[in-house]
Amino acid sequence: MSTAVKGLVAYSHVNICVTDVEAADAFYIGKLGLEKLPRPDFGEFAGSWLRMGPSQLHLSKVDKMPDTAGAMSHFALYIPTDEFDATMAELAERGLEFASEPNEREDFGVPVKTAFARDPDGNLIEFTDVALFE
């Protein structure tokens, strides 16, 4: 069994690829309610930085989306169990189309609420109440 390096404690941000930064911003800001952050000028490297609570989502413009055939590449957004149903309802009211409607399953004997959606470029997003580590 390996142990993580002591100083590695959490994600700072997740970066995903998008082909249209404006459409991605409209989705993540308009539908999910993320906050637009200032982004350094990286020259020809276009993108956007967004905040969700203490975390950030970075969007990087690409000409063509990477091929993820055969994989379930995704990132998961945590929603507390007692807020999950209301949050799903609010997302639906904002026009979010679910790839997998909100449901409940059992993981290792523990009930887990989950739903999936895709952004304009097809990036898969999981919404889940799987608890964060403290």
Side-chain angles (χ1 to χ4, degrees), residues 78-79 81 105 107 111-113 126-133:
Y78 170 72
I79 302 164
T81 303
R105 67 174 193 257
D107 286 0
V112 171
K113 292 186 176 198
E126 179 179 5
F127 303 94
T128 183
D129 69 342
V130 171
L132 301 173
F133 290 105

Side-chain angles (χ1 to χ4, degrees), residues 6-20:
K6 183 178 181 184
L8 298 176
V9 296
Y11 290 102
S12 165
H13 65 271
V14 171
N15 184 82
I16 62 171
C17 297
V18 299
T19 59
D20 184 335

Side-chain angles (χ1 to χ4, degrees), residues 46-85:
S48 181
W49 286 5
L50 307 168
R51 177 191 338 248
M52 180 188 64
S55 302
Q56 293 182 25
L57 176 64
H58 293 184
L59 310 174
S60 294
K61 182 171 183 334
V62 295
D63 293 329
K64 180 182 175 201
M65 290 297 289
D67 181 6
T68 59
M72 192 175 169
S73 177
H74 71 286
F75 62 96
L77 303 178
Y78 170 72
I79 302 164
T81 303
D82 61 346
E83 297 176 26
F84 192 86
D85 294 336

Side-chain angles (χ1 to χ4, degrees), residues 24-34 94-95:
D25 273 352
F27 175 84
Y28 287 103
I29 295 168
K31 299 233 191 273
L32 302 189
L34 276 60
R94 290 179 178 221

